[in-house]
Amino acid sequence: MSESNETSGRHADVDIAGVDTVVAEAAAPERDIAVKVGDDLVEVKNLTMRFGGLLALDDISFTIKRGEILGLIGPNGAGKTTCFNAMTGVYKPTSGQVLLEGRVLNGVKQHKITRAGLARTFQNIRLFGEMTALENVVVGLDARHKTSVIGALLRLPRHTREEKSAIERGMALLEFVGIADQAATLSRHLPYGSQRRLEIARALATDPKVLCLDEPAAGFNPAEKEELMQLIRTIRDDGYTVLLIEHDMKLVMGVTDRIVVLEFGKKIADNVPSVIREDPKVISAYLGEPEDDFA
Amino acid sequence: MSMVDGPTPLHTAKADQAAEDREAVGTPPGSSAAVRRKGWFGGLGEKWQELPRQKQWAVLIIVVVLAYLLPVINPPLISTEPGNDFPLACQTMAVWALVAVGLNVVIGYAGLLDLGYIAFFAVGSYVAAMLTSPDSTFLKIPYLWTIPVAMAVTMFFGVLLGVPTLRLRGDYLAIVTLGFGEIVRILATIIPAMKGQVGFQNLGHPPGLDAHGVPIFANSNGTPWYWLTLTILIIVLLLAGNLERSRVGRNWIAIREDEDAAETMGVPTFKYKVWAFAIGAGIGGMSGALMSGQVGFVNNQKFDVVTSVLFVAAVVLGGAGNKVGAILGGALVAYIPLRFTAIADYKYLIFGLALCLIMIFRSHGLLAARQQLLAYGRHAYNEVKARTDAKSAKAKAAPGKEASL
Ligand SMILES: Nc1ncnc2c1ncn2[C@@H]1O[C@H](COP(=O)(O)OP(=O)(O)OP(=O)(O)O)[C@@H](O)[C@H]1O
Ligand SMILES: [Mg+2]
């Protein structure tokens, strides 16, 4: 067991250190972001989400600054995933606003929100099972493609061009997350860890301005978690902004620049990790929480 | 329990096949049931994918030539004679195959259960009838023109039905389409211009007379009709293949696999569902026009829901999502009652049983080959395969080294 961990650890070092330049060139060549590094890229304003009698999000406000890794943490059922869903258009917020680069996202269709630059992964993996890993990523790339049905039907030049570049960029992304070897495998046959990584690659493929990761390391053992955090750092270094939901406090402290803490749908803290660590409210929220040790 | 990157040998074709087997029968590896899938056509699709392009073309050309020659050869055991004229049976099979290919776009690709596909077939038939039969008061156009016109009109109906209904999911969509299937039949009964049971006779046909001055495309002359339908079928197949290996096909399959995730990945799901509906409808309309042209008569009696369900059965039987499977399914469903006339009355019983068996033993249909979704995926996959092969060869050459590295 420890041996295989070592093996994968070695893998990650090689892959991550060796490949980020490839991704910088091939995976995200034409990002065009209006906001300067360090300015507010996403603003969540007084977001409230009510399910019947349950107040899942209660007047949440926070911002995501361009270029940072923002952690969103909280105990089970705190409303983290709900917050993602309200931001990415899966749920219609009861009230409040979400702005991306100053543009209000309320009421915008989900696929348009993705194209506007907000991509996400799912807590419970939701890949396209009957597609290969590469095809899954290319679906993400298609978000930026312009081929029409007629263009595909008649194989017009744009289609050819996009298909060719999709293969290249898709493979580069798989390489980046470390699963290029499994490009031809149906995603439902991939090992669990590769599926999680594929989710990230697919979300990156949409060329997002903000990448929202919902517990990407759930079910991982500590070594694998550390590896994944390394990957997330690399993603940030490539110029992406990351919103990271993570259950494991210790882990999130190490990787994030800033942390927003939710409890019972309320924001109880919003600060840099070193302050969050000492915050009595946060500590009591996490007291009595079982250690996240099922991995 | 490292879950990241897994042990590399997993990527060999054999391991993949093994994994697939496990998945297919839901049993752990090593159990005897895991080998079950190997029989029948198992692995045929994979073998096909591994053939070089030239060989694929060679095989395809032979198959196509044989397909064109089928009614001429009239092979003894396969022939439906003396019970049914074989060239006419071929035409029926080709029409059903075309129907199945069209419905496969809707069910197999986009995953939309359409139980009222007969409606589009009916619309296509009526377009051909009303624009060519002397019984109709509409303007008349040459028969061949009715094929694209039927396609355009049914596509329009597809959009008309799709826009309000495709916001529904699963069961609801199935019920609404079922209703639509009935509506068209009922409209044909109550709208005077559609002439109910009296119907339209002497539909047009493509031009041309033979040496005796008899029209080449006579109602009883199956071969030319079959050739016409087969040609259209081949064109449709090529175009469907283009769609499959493109953004469009990927978006459809993504919708089928997980509609919410697809939307989140930037797929305009509603738009692509409407496209699937419209394209499926268009092909259904063409099939209707071809069928009614050969029969030469259209009334409201043939477009019942049961036939619609048989269309679905054809797609599922062949292997939903696989266009070659759809052809096989469509042709078989048409062929069996024609060939075995003694049991034709029991065809619903037989297809029902066959479907049950298929679902139990081969839930992906007769031909479970997966669709290819990348126009240039072959090269990339080969490269990956070469790489992993080289890796595992290296591991074999120096055993133990892998672990210590
Ligand atoms: N669609 C829904 N309908 C009703 N209630 C919901 C819905 N989605 C979430 N909830 C409720 O909202 C609350 C917050 O759930 P959410 O999934 O956002 O928690 P979370 O912080 O992501 O927790 P976890 O760490 O377990 O993933 C929970 O009480 C949950 O039951
Ligand atoms: Mg959650």
Side-chain angles (χ1 to χ4, degrees):
Chain A
M1 210 151 98
S2 64
E3 172 206 288
S4 62
N5 285 342
E6 265 172 45
T7 321
S8 41
R10 163 187 60 90
H11 232 95
D13 282 355
V14 172
D15 284 345
I16 291 168
V19 183
D20 52 346
T21 49
V22 176
V23 161
E25 282 166 27
E30 56 224 48
R31 221 170 311 140
D32 178 18
I33 307 181
V35 177
K36 281 209 283 295
V37 176
D39 286 356
D40 291 347
L41 186 55
V42 176
E43 286 174 79
V44 175
K45 282 188 183 164
N46 309 100
L47 200 61
T48 300
M49 184 78 227
R50 194 185 280 281
F51 297 113
L54 180 87
L55 199 56
L57 289 179
D58 185 1
D59 202 25
I60 304 285
S61 300
F62 62 90
T63 60
I64 307 173
K65 297 192 194 322
R66 185 176 161 197
E68 75 174 348
I69 301 180
L70 178 68
L72 184 62
I73 66 171
N76 281 110
K80 306 180 293 288
T81 302
T82 306
C83 186
F84 260 34
N85 285 338
M87 286 169 68
T88 52
V90 178
Y91 296 153
K92 278 202 178 64
T94 313
S95 64
Q97 281 186 326
V98 178
L99 290 89
L100 176 67
E101 295 179 294
R103 177 183 162 205
V104 180
L105 294 182
N106 296 51
V108 178
K109 289 214 181 70
Q110 273 185 69
H111 66 265
K112 293 204 171 128
I113 291 183
T114 307
R115 286 174 200 205
L118 210 59
R120 66 170 295 182
T121 65
F122 293 92
Q123 183 172 356
N124 46 337
I125 300 172
R126 291 177 78 168
L127 293 165
F128 307 122
E130 284 290 322
M131 291 191 191
T132 66
L134 182 57
E135 286 163 359
N136 266 278
V137 173
V138 175
V139 171
L141 289 170
D142 282 333
R144 302 273 166 225
H145 287 168
K146 297 204 163 59
T147 301
S148 62
V149 173
I150 304 299
L153 196 68
L154 305 176
R155 297 176 139 252
L156 297 182
R158 195 213 301 261
H159 162 77
T160 312
R161 211 165 48 234
E162 287 183 346
E163 285 294 314
K164 282 187 175 151
S165 82
I167 300 279
E168 254 167 56
R169 292 178 65 183
M171 284 308 295
L173 279 163
L174 289 177
E175 191 94 40
F176 176 64
V177 300
I179 57 170
D181 284 357
Q182 292 147 311
T185 311
L186 289 194
S187 69
R188 66 188 169 91
H189 293 156
L190 286 174
Y192 177 79
S194 306
Q195 292 191 350
R196 284 246 172 251
R197 282 161 179 265
L198 179 54
E199 275 238 334
I200 297 177
R202 187 180 64 173
L204 277 177
T206 65
D207 198 12
K209 291 164 183 158
V210 184
L211 177 67
C212 305
L213 302 172
D214 196 346
E215 301 205 22
F220 280 14
N221 66 29
E224 289 165 337
K225 278 190 180 179
E226 185 42 52
E227 230 176 75
L228 196 81
M229 292 306 141
Q230 189 60 48
L231 176 68
I232 293 170
R233 275 189 211 109
T234 317
I235 290 172
R236 192 264 312 270
D237 294 345
D238 263 355
Y240 292 93
T241 306
V242 180
L243 174 60
L244 170 69
I245 290 187
E246 181 46 67
H247 205 87
D248 186 331
M249 274 267 272
K250 266 177 284 177
L251 202 74
V252 96
M253 293 290 164
V255 68
T256 51
D257 301 304
R258 218 153 48 85
I259 296 178
V260 171
V261 189
L262 297 184
E263 189 193 16
F264 298 125
K266 285 196 177 62
K267 184 170 103 169
I268 58 168
D270 179 349
N271 218 319
V272 293
S274 56
V275 178
I276 294 286
R277 202 195 316 263
E278 310 298 331
D279 192 321
K281 270 202 253 162
V282 178
I283 294 171
S284 76
Y286 267 84
L287 265 183
E289 265 281 301
E291 269 293 294
D292 183 19
D293 57 359
F294 49 80
Chain B
M1 59 165 269
S2 165
M3 287 160 165
V4 180
D5 288 336
T8 32
L10 210 131
H11 329 303
T12 60
K14 221 190 220 160
D16 274 355
Q17 178 64 47
E20 216 158 74
D21 287 338
R22 240 174 285 145
E23 195 76 27
V25 293
T27 44
S31 81
S32 64
V35 227
R36 203 193 289 163
R37 199 164 163 264
K38 285 275 156 60
W40 296 32
F41 309 99
L44 201 69
E46 235 167 70
K47 269 186 212 132
W48 173 253
Q49 289 307 330
E50 276 167 19
L51 280 183
R53 263 276 192 280
Q54 296 90 326
K55 278 201 184 148
Q56 284 186 348
W57 278 113
V59 174
L60 274 182
I61 287 169
I62 293 171
V63 169
V64 167
V65 168
L66 283 179
Y68 272 101
L69 290 180
L70 190 62
V72 182
I73 300 172
N74 199 350
L77 274 177
I78 294 174
S79 176
T80 53
E81 287 168 3
N84 290 293
D85 179 70
F86 188 61
L88 284 178
C90 286
Q91 155 71 357
T92 309
M93 281 156 64
V95 168
W96 275 74
L98 189 60
V99 166
V101 168
L103 187 53
N104 182 47
V105 171
V106 184
I107 295 183
Y109 292 166
L112 306 164
L113 186 51
D114 182 353
L115 293 178
Y117 196 64
I118 189 75
F120 301 126
F121 190 79
V123 169
S125 298
Y126 272 101
V127 167
M130 293 165 88
L131 294 181
T132 62
S133 165
D135 300 344
S136 150
T137 52
F138 278 89
L139 87 165
K140 302 293 177 311
I141 60 173
Y143 171 79
L144 281 177
W145 278 103
T146 67
I147 294 174
V149 171
M151 190 168 127
V153 172
T154 42
M155 277 183 94
F156 171 74
F157 273 91
V159 174
L160 207 65
L161 175 66
V163 167
T165 58
L166 285 174
R167 298 181 199 279
L168 303 172
R169 297 245 174 126
D171 304 349
Y172 299 105
L173 180 68
I175 290 164
V176 171
T177 52
L178 193 63
F180 181 67
E182 278 293 85
I183 286 172
V184 171
R185 192 174 62 89
I186 292 165
L187 284 183
T189 312
I190 58 178
I191 293 179
M194 294 175 78
K195 302 193 86 169
Q197 201 167 348
V198 178
F200 301 90
Q201 293 186 356
N202 300 320
L203 266 67
H205 51 74
L209 301 175
D210 68 7
H212 310 285
V214 183
I216 297 172
F217 284 84
N219 302 133
S220 57
N221 193 3
T223 308
W225 282 102
Y226 168 71
W227 284 341
L228 175 65
T229 309
L230 185 62
T231 308
I232 289 176
L233 178 63
I234 289 170
I235 295 170
V236 167
L237 271 183
L238 290 175
L239 293 177
N242 282 356
L243 286 182
E244 199 176 296
R245 289 182 301 277
S246 79
R247 180 180 183 212
V248 182
R250 286 188 297 271
N251 285 356
W252 282 338
I253 305 289
I255 291 168
R256 183 189 78 191
E257 294 291 295
D258 188 335
E259 191 169 337
D260 297 318
E263 179 79 25
T264 306
M265 286 305 129
V267 177
T269 52
F270 179 67
K271 180 176 145 190
Y272 276 90
K273 288 199 288 182
V274 173
W275 265 116
F277 235 62
I279 291 171
I283 299 174
M286 277 199 301
S287 328
L290 285 164
M291 187 63 148
S292 56
Q294 179 266 312
V295 174
F297 172 67
V298 171
N299 73 357
N300 63 1
Q301 294 298 297
K302 295 184 293 188
F303 309 113
D304 50 353
V305 166
V306 179
T307 312
S308 206
V309 173
L310 273 188
F311 287 165
V312 177
V315 173
V316 176
L317 200 73
N322 177 358
K323 51 192 184 312
V324 184
I327 293 178
L328 192 73
L332 266 182
V333 169
Y335 172 76
I336 289 172
L338 290 171
R339 169 69 178 80
F340 306 102
T341 39
I343 57 165
D345 289 343
Y346 302 100
K347 67 177 174 188
Y348 297 117
L349 178 70
I350 291 166
F351 289 135
L353 275 177
L355 270 183
C356 289
L357 290 175
I358 289 269
M359 284 302 108
I360 293 169
F361 293 108
R362 221 184 142 71
S363 57
H364 293 297
L366 289 176
L367 272 183
R370 214 182 62 82
Q371 53 285 11
Q372 300 298 311
L373 299 173
L374 298 166
Y376 303 98
R378 211 175 220 274
H379 179 69
Y381 290 148
N382 285 343
E383 229 164 57
V384 169
K385 195 158 178 293
R387 235 169 50 178
T388 47
D389 283 355
K391 241 189 216 173
S392 55
K394 226 199 247 162
K396 236 178 239 154
K401 212 163 183 196
E402 169 103 329
S404 64
L405 257 176

